[in-house]
Amino acid sequence: MRVAVVGAGIIGVTSAYELALDGHEVTVFERNGSIAAETSFANAGLVAPGYVTPWSAPGMPGKVLRHLASRHTPVRVHANLDLGWAWKWWRACRVRTWQANRLRMQRLAYFSRERLHQITRDLKIDYERRQGYLVLLRSAKDLALAQPGLATLATLGTRYAILDPDQCRIVEPGLAAQAPLHAGIHLPDDEVGNCRQFALLLRRAAERIGARFVIDTTVQRIEPGPKPRLVHLRSTREEQSGNGDDAEEPGDFPDTRPYAPEPVTETFDAVVVCAALGAPPLLRPLGLKLPLQAVYGYSVTAPMRHSDPHLDQAPRSALMDERYKVAISRLGSRIRVAGSAEIGGSAKEMHAGALATLYKVLDDWFPGAAQTRHSQQWKGARPMLPDGPPVLGPSGIDGVWLNLGHGSSGWALSCGSARLLAGAIAGRAPAIDIEGLGIERLRT
């Protein structure tokens, strides 16, 4: 089959690889000047299936309201919040709905981690990754609040250990002695990895087996049918809105097509929409209104200090400050601090308070470990559905397939989602139970 993939974030790249692996003729369209240039660019990088859970959880609306008055709040709400989405999110916070969606997401997350490891082994992909994940609990209250999550981990058979402060510092010797630390939850099988670096390497692997990536190209509309058509327009580099950080890395295969000033129409056998927040404008004219909301996250990435006294003061792998919902990750010779959930707003406006929280948490646990004056600050939109899980498979529109709505768990769910999507297009039986991951969930 001739298959078009719209969007080249981590979801689009993994989808392209799996489809090409199945023998399809795959063309990927990306509006930016590089792949993985938006949500996948500088995320936390956590692959922790037991902690993949819907943001729509019991008690969450009250927590959001209480956090609004906090200086270092993990949640901010803007006036342009979609009230229809908020209503659906509030309804999804009911206990039974949350339990069902949590199991759906975690089932997919564990499968996705297995697929990530298999791809890494098969292709011998060498990217920045570290084993182990430590959740830091500042007080006895934080530990008490974590107990329901620990019960879930036990049910799933996830290996974990509750550590006292001394044991936490054996796992992460760089933790500051003065930081308030009551306990930690250590998950030795979880990991952190550089999502964008993996995406760049997987793109090359996909191209070697026949996939074609068309960058700087915006898909203007989809014309559904047994032979769906895409209308797309190539843009010039001057029209790109990025700040230069999304340029192709050395060694990427260049796009040498001549510039076409007019829209081009191409015919395919299937179209897979992985365009995150770019998806609703393409699907709405076809009668499909997806309730996707931009929930922005922030990160700060800075090089480690290399003077000997600081070598043991940097993180070894990945940590999460449970109180502030901020992750600290070791990626090669850099430290990344990521967090915040900003509902609505704009990608172009950095909130000083959100960045201040990231720097605070880093300084609390690893003071002096990073050269923060050389830091890269980033803000990216997570395309979140109100109930949590993504939507995978046929859209109900002839010739159009979906792989969308992974929220803040795109990296953790990407490889499994792509494998299931490719299997559905090929007519294979799914490797896991996919109940509740289809478009029908959003129509009930």
Side-chain angles (χ1 to χ4, degrees):
M1 292 174 62
R2 190 161 187 257
V3 182
V5 176
V6 184
I10 188 62
I11 302 299
V13 173
T14 51
S15 297
Y17 172 75
E18 295 288 0
L19 289 163
L21 195 63
D22 280 351
H24 299 296
E25 181 185 341
V26 180
T27 303
V28 185
F29 296 92
E30 169 56 45
R31 63 185 178 182
N32 290 290
S34 174
I35 70 165
E38 295 186 22
T39 306
S40 306
F41 185 77
N43 54 36
L46 296 175
V47 181
Y51 275 80
V52 171
T53 186
W55 199 58
S56 49
M60 185 60 74
K63 290 180 182 178
V64 170
L65 292 175
R66 289 192 297 273
H67 279 309
L68 294 180
S70 171
R71 178 187 175 192
H72 290 293
T73 175
V75 181
R76 289 178 173 82
V77 180
H78 285 261
N80 64 346
L81 165 67
D82 184 334
L83 294 180
W85 182 92
W87 169 251
K88 293 175 183 176
W89 171 77
W90 179 79
R91 288 176 56 84
C93 289
R94 293 178 294 188
V95 173
R96 292 184 65 180
T97 303
W98 171 76
Q99 288 175 335
N101 287 324
R102 182 195 67 195
L103 290 175
R104 290 162 178 160
M105 292 183 72
Q106 291 177 338
R107 188 162 55 233
L108 176 58
Y110 280 98
F111 173 65
S112 188
R113 185 174 67 180
E114 291 176 9
R115 185 60 184 157
L116 169 64
H117 291 169
Q118 184 177 355
I119 291 172
T120 302
R121 288 192 304 268
D122 291 348
L123 299 178
K124 297 180 174 57
I125 291 179
D126 183 15
Y127 66 103
E128 295 171 341
R129 61 177 296 273
R130 294 267 174 162
Q131 195 72 26
Y133 179 44
L134 181 62
V135 180
L136 301 172
L137 305 167
R138 292 176 177 252
S139 67
K141 180 181 178 181
D142 291 340
L143 178 57
L145 291 173
Q147 292 303 319
L150 294 177
T152 299
L153 293 177
T155 301
L156 294 168
T158 301
R159 283 204 306 153
Y160 73 90
I162 300 177
L163 308 182
D164 64 28
D166 290 337
Q167 291 170 320
C168 288
R169 290 186 171 93
I170 292 173
V171 174
E172 286 285 355
L175 286 170
Q178 69 272 22
L181 178 58
H182 177 75
I185 303 167
H186 185 230
L187 298 101
D189 298 327
D190 290 346
E191 62 194 80
V192 61
N194 189 324
C195 173
R196 184 169 192 259
Q197 187 183 40
F198 178 86
L200 289 165
L201 293 169
L202 192 63
R203 170 194 171 171
R204 296 171 188 170
E207 287 181 314
R208 284 194 293 269
I209 56 176
R212 185 170 68 105
F213 284 74
V214 181
I215 62 170
D216 288 325
T217 299
T218 299
V219 174
Q220 296 183 321
R221 68 177 183 272
I222 301 170
E223 299 175 357
K227 292 283 186 179
R229 302 198 301 172
L230 285 188
V231 180
H232 55 81
L233 179 65
R234 180 86 185 274
S235 59
T236 65
R237 286 283 172 169
E238 288 73 19
E239 292 173 328
Q240 294 299 314
S241 59
N243 58 9
D245 292 330
D246 61 350
E248 295 283 356
E249 292 196 352
D252 277 1
F253 296 96
D255 187 343
T256 57
R257 298 170 305 132
Y259 171 63
E262 299 295 332
V264 175
T265 302
E266 288 191 62
T267 301
F268 297 89
D269 297 299
V271 174
V272 180
V273 181
C274 306
L277 293 172
L282 292 174
L283 297 172
R284 197 177 298 118
L286 308 182
L288 179 56
K289 297 181 180 180
L290 284 181
L292 278 174
Q293 171 68 50
V295 179
Y296 292 97
Y298 288 76
S299 75
V300 171
T301 307
M304 291 169 44
R305 294 187 186 275
H306 291 294
S307 56
D308 289 342
H310 293 88
L311 287 178
D312 290 334
Q313 295 181 14
R316 287 183 172 179
S317 184
L319 308 97
M320 171 67 73
D321 185 313
E322 185 66 10
R323 179 174 299 179
Y324 294 102
K325 306 297 182 185
V326 170
I328 305 173
S329 305
R330 169 80 171 268
L331 296 173
S333 60
R334 295 166 298 149
I335 298 173
R336 178 168 294 164
V337 195
S340 188
E342 188 175 298
I343 311 173
S346 166
K348 297 180 180 180
E349 297 178 3
M350 290 274 194
H351 194 287
L355 293 170
T357 300
L358 300 187
Y359 286 112
K360 168 193 163 46
V361 171
L362 175 61
D363 191 58
D364 283 352
W365 297 112
F366 297 98
Q371 301 180 56
T372 53
R373 67 181 182 277
H374 299 302
S375 63
Q376 176 193 60
Q377 298 175 349
W378 172 85
K379 180 181 181 181
R382 306 153 178 158
M384 193 172 289
L385 290 165
D387 58 353
V391 58
L392 312 174
S395 67
I397 301 167
D398 201 7
V400 180
W401 299 74
L402 305 177
N403 193 356
L404 288 168
H406 298 75
S408 59
S409 302
W411 171 222
L413 300 177
S414 58
C415 293
S417 297
R419 188 64 180 164
L420 293 173
L421 184 281
I425 289 178
R428 292 192 299 269
I432 62 170
D433 182 3
I434 59 172
E435 180 276 328
L437 299 179
I439 190 64
E440 64 279 355
R441 180 185 92 242
L442 301 175
R443 289 175 169 160
T444 57

